[in-house]
Amino acid sequence: MKSIPALLADRYEIVRRVGTGGMADVYLARDTQLNRQVALKILHSQYAGDEAFVERFRREAHAAANLQHPNIVQIYDWGREDDYHFIVMEFVEGRSLKDLIAADSPLPSHQACEIADQVLDALATAHRAGLVHRDIKPGNILLGRDGEAHVTDFGIARAASGDTMTQTGTILGTAYYLSPEQAQGHPTDGRSDLYSLGIVLYEMVAGRRPFEGDSPVTIAMKHVREHPKPPSEHNPSVSTDLSAIILTALAKNPEDRYSTAAQMRRDVRAFLEGKDVTAALPAPSGDDTQVIKTVGPVQRAATRRPGWMVALALALLVGGLALGAWSLINLLRPMVGGAEVPEIVNRTPTDAENVLRAAGLEPSFQGNEPSETIEEGRVTRQLPDPGHRVTTGVAVQYWVSSGLPFVAVPDVKGIAFNQARARLEQAGLTVGEREEVFHETVPAGAVIDQNPRAEAQVRKRTPIDLTISRGPEVATVPNVVGMDERAALQALFNAGFRPQQVDDFRADVPNGVVFDQDPAGGQQRPSGSTVQIFVSRGPEEFAMPNVVGMTEANARNELQRRGLVVRTQNVFTSDPNERGRVLRQDPTAGTPVRRGQTVTIQVGSS
C-alpha cells in the first residue's frame, strides 16, 4: 500500500500519528504556510473508492466548517491528494473524555457536569444551525490541557430534517450511545444528541454505561426496551437532582426528554450552582391502564327506542349547524381578532422570537440556509409573510442565514490574468492580492500560483490571491567587443548572462581579444540566457610560442588553444625540478607555424 506523503497539498507537513479510528487516522501536522500545529484527519485508503464513506467524510468537513464555537473543534480546510481525502482541523492538545473515564471514573459529579455544560453549549449552537451530531460519545469529546471540552467528528451529522440513521441496513453511530430512535432507524433530531449525552453523563458519574451486551444489536435492543437504573444505584454519591437530569435525558420517548440542549443546560447549570432543577425522577413503570368504551348497552338502547332515527337526524342537524358555525367563526377570527404577523426578516433569532412571542405567536425555527443578501446569524425568510392576520398562538416558521454559500475554488494556474479573473467571478469569487514576479517558463501575464488552492471550499465572494508572471527577468547585454576574453567573460557573468566562447583566427585582431558577440551589446535579453563571444586567436600563421619551462598541462593548453596538434616525448632528467616540465620544443620559439600543424614537446621524467 502506498505510504502517506510527508507533505500534503504542498502545505501540511505530517509530524506523527496521534489517533486511529474505524474510518480515518488522525495526525499531528504543521501548516507550513501559517506555521501552526493542526490535526490532519486522513480517510483510510481502502475507503477512497467507496462513495458512501467519501461522502460521509466530506459531510463532516461541510457540517463543522460553518460552526464557530469555542467548544466545537474548528475545521480549517479539506481536500484530496491522490487517493487521500483529508480534513485539516484545530489541534486540541490534551486527551479524550474516553481516556479520562478509563483512567479516573467515576468522576466527581461537579467535574462531570462542567464537561456536560460545555458539550451542551456546543450542541445548542449546532442544533440552532440545523445540525444533529448523531454520534455523541466520550471518544468524540476532547479535553484540552485547560480542561475545556471540544466536540469533534461531525462525520454522520445531518440536517435535523434529514433522513434516518440507517444506510443499507447499517446503523450509524456507536451502539452504547444510540438513542432508541436511532436504533430503530427512525428520524432523529436534537433530542437524540441529548439522549447520547445522557449516556455519557451516566457513564462519567456511575463508572459504567447503563446498557451493556455481547453485541451491538443486543445493546441497541436494550436502548429500545429497557429502562436504565438510576446512576445512584452504582454510585451512591450521585444526588437525586443529578439522577433526575440524567434519566430525563434518557427517556425512551423524545417528547419526554428535554426539548432543547439549552433547556438541559439550564438544569445542569442549576445543579452546578446549587439551585433547584426542573427535572424529576420518573415514576416506577407499571402496567398501563386502558379505558374500554362500552358499546353494547348503547346498541341495546337503540333497538328499544322506536324514534331513534328521528333523534339521530336531529343530532346530526344540530351537529352540522354547530360545526358550520365553528368553521365560520374560525374563518372570520383572523379578520376581526387574532394577531398580525410581524416582520422578523434580518433580525437575530433571539430578537425574532421575542418579537413573535410579544405578538402572541409561537416561533418555529426551521433550520439554516445560505444567503447572499442576509448576513450570517439573521433571519432570511418567514412563513406566514409579515402583515397576515392569523389566530393567536399560530406558529411562525423562520429560517436563519448560515452566511454566504460555499463554492469550490476553480483552478486558474497557467492561464492569463483576465481569463483567471473571469473564471473566479463566474464562480462567485473575487481577485484578492495580486503579486507579480519573474518566472523562467510561465509567460508574462499568466497565473503562477493561487491561494486558496484549486478545489478548496470557500464562501462566495472570498478573495483569491494570485501570483502573476512577469515573464523571464530581462537585462541589458553588455558590449564586450574589444575586451580581453577574461574581462569579457566576467562582465557577462556579472550582468546575469551565460557566456559561450567561440575561438577563431583573425590576423587583424590580437590573440585573446573579443572581436564579435551575439546578441550585440545594448539589447534586452532574459537573465540567464546565453551570449556568444568570438575570441581571436591571432593570424592563422603565427610565430611558435615559447612553452619551455611550462608544466606539460599548461604547455598543451596553450598550444591547443592556438590550433596546434601537440605530441609529447618523455626524456630522462636527473634534476627533480625539471620533471613534468617542458625541456625542449620543436619547432623552436619564434618559428612560423600554421593552425593544425603538429608540434613536439619533450617533458622531463625520472
Short mmCIF file of all heavy atoms in Angstrom, two decimals, residues 344-352 365 367-371 373-381 398-403:
data_model
loop_
_atom_site.label_atom_id
_atom_site.label_comp_id
_atom_site.label_asym_id
_atom_site.label_seq_id
_atom_site.Cartn_x
_atom_site.Cartn_y
_atom_site.Cartn_z
N ILE A 344 -39.90 39.81 10.72
CA ILE A 344 -38.74 39.36 11.51
C ILE A 344 -37.51 39.11 10.64
O ILE A 344 -36.45 38.76 11.15
CB ILE A 344 -39.06 38.09 12.32
CG1 ILE A 344 -39.45 36.93 11.39
CG2 ILE A 344 -40.12 38.35 13.37
CD1 ILE A 344 -39.55 35.59 12.11
N VAL A 345 -37.64 39.27 9.30
CA VAL A 345 -36.50 39.05 8.41
C VAL A 345 -35.40 40.05 8.75
O VAL A 345 -35.66 41.23 9.01
CB VAL A 345 -36.93 39.18 6.94
CG1 VAL A 345 -35.71 39.18 6.02
CG2 VAL A 345 -37.87 38.05 6.56
N ASN A 346 -34.19 39.57 8.78
CA ASN A 346 -32.97 40.35 9.07
C ASN A 346 -32.77 40.59 10.56
O ASN A 346 -31.83 41.30 10.95
CB ASN A 346 -32.94 41.69 8.34
CG ASN A 346 -31.61 41.93 7.65
OD1 ASN A 346 -30.62 41.24 7.92
ND2 ASN A 346 -31.57 42.89 6.77
N ARG A 347 -33.61 40.00 11.40
CA ARG A 347 -33.39 40.08 12.84
C ARG A 347 -32.57 38.88 13.30
O ARG A 347 -32.50 37.85 12.62
CB ARG A 347 -34.72 40.09 13.60
CG ARG A 347 -35.58 41.33 13.39
CD ARG A 347 -36.86 41.22 14.18
NE ARG A 347 -37.73 42.38 14.03
CZ ARG A 347 -37.68 43.46 14.81
NH1 ARG A 347 -36.81 43.51 15.79
NH2 ARG A 347 -38.51 44.48 14.61
N THR A 348 -31.96 38.99 14.48
CA THR A 348 -31.32 37.82 15.08
C THR A 348 -32.41 36.86 15.56
O THR A 348 -33.54 37.28 15.83
CB THR A 348 -30.44 38.22 16.27
OG1 THR A 348 -31.28 38.75 17.30
CG2 THR A 348 -29.39 39.26 15.87
N PRO A 349 -32.12 35.56 15.67
CA PRO A 349 -33.13 34.61 16.14
C PRO A 349 -33.73 35.00 17.49
O PRO A 349 -34.94 34.89 17.70
CB PRO A 349 -32.36 33.29 16.20
CG PRO A 349 -31.28 33.42 15.20
CD PRO A 349 -30.89 34.86 15.24
N THR A 350 -32.88 35.45 18.41
CA THR A 350 -33.39 35.83 19.73
C THR A 350 -34.36 37.00 19.62
O THR A 350 -35.45 36.99 20.21
CB THR A 350 -32.22 36.21 20.65
OG1 THR A 350 -31.34 35.08 20.77
CG2 THR A 350 -32.71 36.60 22.03
N ASP A 351 -33.96 38.00 18.85
CA ASP A 351 -34.82 39.16 18.66
C ASP A 351 -36.11 38.76 17.96
O ASP A 351 -37.22 39.19 18.35
CB ASP A 351 -34.07 40.21 17.84
CG ASP A 351 -34.78 41.55 17.83
OD1 ASP A 351 -35.67 41.74 18.68
OD2 ASP A 351 -34.45 42.39 16.97
N ALA A 352 -36.00 37.89 16.92
CA ALA A 352 -37.18 37.46 16.18
C ALA A 352 -38.16 36.72 17.08
O ALA A 352 -39.38 36.95 17.04
CB ALA A 352 -36.76 36.58 15.01
N PHE A 365 -38.29 27.55 14.57
CA PHE A 365 -37.04 27.55 13.79
C PHE A 365 -37.02 26.35 12.84
O PHE A 365 -37.21 25.21 13.25
CB PHE A 365 -35.85 27.51 14.75
CG PHE A 365 -34.52 27.31 14.06
CD1 PHE A 365 -34.02 28.26 13.20
CD2 PHE A 365 -33.79 26.14 14.27
CE1 PHE A 365 -32.80 28.08 12.58
CE2 PHE A 365 -32.57 25.95 13.65
CZ PHE A 365 -32.07 26.93 12.80
N GLY A 367 -34.40 25.84 10.42
CA GLY A 367 -33.07 25.42 10.01
C GLY A 367 -32.28 26.58 9.42
O GLY A 367 -32.77 27.70 9.28
N ASN A 368 -31.04 26.26 9.08
CA ASN A 368 -30.16 27.26 8.48
C ASN A 368 -30.12 27.09 6.96
O ASN A 368 -30.31 26.00 6.44
CB ASN A 368 -28.73 27.13 9.03
CG ASN A 368 -28.64 27.68 10.43
OD1 ASN A 368 -29.18 27.10 11.36
ND2 ASN A 368 -27.96 28.79 10.60
N GLU A 369 -29.86 28.18 6.27
CA GLU A 369 -29.73 28.14 4.82
C GLU A 369 -28.77 29.25 4.40
O GLU A 369 -28.72 30.31 5.03
CB GLU A 369 -31.08 28.32 4.15
CG GLU A 369 -31.77 29.64 4.47
CD GLU A 369 -33.16 29.74 3.85
OE1 GLU A 369 -33.64 28.72 3.32
OE2 GLU A 369 -33.75 30.84 3.88
N PRO A 370 -27.98 28.98 3.36
CA PRO A 370 -27.06 30.04 2.89
C PRO A 370 -27.84 31.20 2.29
O PRO A 370 -28.95 31.02 1.78
CB PRO A 370 -26.21 29.31 1.83
CG PRO A 370 -27.04 28.15 1.39
CD PRO A 370 -27.86 27.74 2.57
N SER A 371 -27.24 32.36 2.36
CA SER A 371 -27.89 33.55 1.80
C SER A 371 -26.83 34.51 1.28
O SER A 371 -25.79 34.70 1.93
CB SER A 371 -28.74 34.25 2.85
OG SER A 371 -29.25 35.48 2.35
N THR A 373 -27.71 37.65 0.59
CA THR A 373 -28.17 39.00 0.93
C THR A 373 -28.29 39.25 2.42
O THR A 373 -28.20 40.39 2.87
CB THR A 373 -29.55 39.26 0.28
OG1 THR A 373 -30.48 38.25 0.70
CG2 THR A 373 -29.44 39.23 -1.24
N ILE A 374 -28.52 38.18 3.20
CA ILE A 374 -28.69 38.32 4.65
C ILE A 374 -27.43 37.83 5.35
O ILE A 374 -26.94 36.73 5.06
CB ILE A 374 -29.90 37.51 5.16
CG1 ILE A 374 -31.16 37.91 4.38
CG2 ILE A 374 -30.09 37.71 6.65
CD1 ILE A 374 -31.62 39.32 4.59
N GLU A 375 -26.91 38.64 6.27
CA GLU A 375 -25.67 38.25 6.93
C GLU A 375 -25.90 37.05 7.85
O GLU A 375 -27.03 36.77 8.29
CB GLU A 375 -25.10 39.42 7.72
CG GLU A 375 -25.86 39.80 8.96
CD GLU A 375 -25.15 40.88 9.75
OE1 GLU A 375 -24.29 40.52 10.57
OE2 GLU A 375 -25.45 42.07 9.53
N GLU A 376 -24.83 36.35 8.12
CA GLU A 376 -24.88 35.12 8.91
C GLU A 376 -25.48 35.40 10.29
O GLU A 376 -25.18 36.39 10.94
CB GLU A 376 -23.47 34.54 9.06
CG GLU A 376 -23.42 33.22 9.79
CD GLU A 376 -22.00 32.66 9.83
OE1 GLU A 376 -21.09 33.30 9.29
OE2 GLU A 376 -21.82 31.58 10.41
N GLY A 377 -26.39 34.47 10.72
CA GLY A 377 -26.98 34.58 12.04
C GLY A 377 -28.24 35.43 12.11
O GLY A 377 -28.75 35.68 13.19
N ARG A 378 -28.78 35.84 10.94
CA ARG A 378 -30.00 36.61 10.92
C ARG A 378 -31.08 35.89 10.10
O ARG A 378 -30.76 35.09 9.23
CB ARG A 378 -29.77 38.02 10.37
CG ARG A 378 -28.91 38.88 11.30
CD ARG A 378 -28.74 40.30 10.81
NE ARG A 378 -28.05 41.11 11.80
CZ ARG A 378 -28.65 41.79 12.76
NH1 ARG A 378 -29.97 41.78 12.84
NH2 ARG A 378 -27.95 42.50 13.63
N VAL A 379 -32.32 36.22 10.37
CA VAL A 379 -33.45 35.54 9.73
C VAL A 379 -33.49 35.88 8.24
O VAL A 379 -33.44 37.06 7.86
CB VAL A 379 -34.77 35.92 10.41
CG1 VAL A 379 -35.96 35.30 9.67
CG2 VAL A 379 -34.76 35.49 11.87
N THR A 380 -33.61 34.84 7.41
CA THR A 380 -33.65 35.04 5.95
C THR A 380 -35.08 35.13 5.42
O THR A 380 -35.34 35.89 4.49
CB THR A 380 -32.94 33.89 5.24
OG1 THR A 380 -33.55 32.64 5.64
CG2 THR A 380 -31.47 33.86 5.58
N ARG A 381 -36.00 34.34 5.97
CA ARG A 381 -37.38 34.36 5.48
C ARG A 381 -38.30 33.82 6.57
O ARG A 381 -37.84 33.23 7.55
CB ARG A 381 -37.55 33.55 4.20
CG ARG A 381 -37.11 32.11 4.29
CD ARG A 381 -37.03 31.46 2.92
NE ARG A 381 -36.48 30.12 2.98
CZ ARG A 381 -37.20 29.01 2.89
NH1 ARG A 381 -38.52 29.09 2.76
NH2 ARG A 381 -36.63 27.82 2.94
N TYR A 398 -39.45 30.18 10.62
CA TYR A 398 -38.40 31.08 10.15
C TYR A 398 -37.11 30.31 9.92
O TYR A 398 -36.86 29.26 10.49
CB TYR A 398 -38.18 32.24 11.12
CG TYR A 398 -37.52 31.87 12.43
CD1 TYR A 398 -36.13 31.93 12.58
CD2 TYR A 398 -38.28 31.46 13.53
CE1 TYR A 398 -35.52 31.61 13.79
CE2 TYR A 398 -37.68 31.13 14.72
CZ TYR A 398 -36.30 31.20 14.85
OH TYR A 398 -35.71 30.86 16.05
N TRP A 399 -36.30 30.86 9.02
CA TRP A 399 -35.01 30.27 8.65
C TRP A 399 -33.91 31.29 8.94
O TRP A 399 -34.14 32.50 8.87
CB TRP A 399 -34.99 29.90 7.18
CG TRP A 399 -35.86 28.75 6.81
CD1 TRP A 399 -35.48 27.47 6.57
CD2 TRP A 399 -37.30 28.76 6.61
NE1 TRP A 399 -36.57 26.69 6.26
CE2 TRP A 399 -37.70 27.45 6.28
CE3 TRP A 399 -38.27 29.75 6.71
CZ2 TRP A 399 -39.01 27.11 6.02
CZ3 TRP A 399 -39.59 29.42 6.47
CH2 TRP A 399 -39.96 28.12 6.13
N VAL A 400 -32.72 30.79 9.25
CA VAL A 400 -31.61 31.67 9.64
C VAL A 400 -30.45 31.49 8.66
O VAL A 400 -30.14 30.38 8.23
CB VAL A 400 -31.14 31.36 11.08
CG1 VAL A 400 -29.90 32.20 11.44
CG2 VAL A 400 -32.27 31.63 12.07
N SER A 401 -29.83 32.60 8.32
CA SER A 401 -28.72 32.58 7.36
C SER A 401 -27.48 31.91 7.97
O SER A 401 -27.07 32.21 9.09
CB SER A 401 -28.35 34.01 6.94
OG SER A 401 -27.15 34.02 6.19
N SER A 402 -26.91 30.99 7.21
CA SER A 402 -25.63 30.39 7.60
C SER A 402 -24.47 31.12 6.92
O SER A 402 -23.35 30.63 6.91
CB SER A 402 -25.60 28.90 7.22
OG SER A 402 -25.80 28.72 5.84
N GLY A 403 -24.77 32.27 6.32
CA GLY A 403 -23.74 33.04 5.64
C GLY A 403 -23.76 32.74 4.15
O GLY A 403 -24.63 32.04 3.62
#
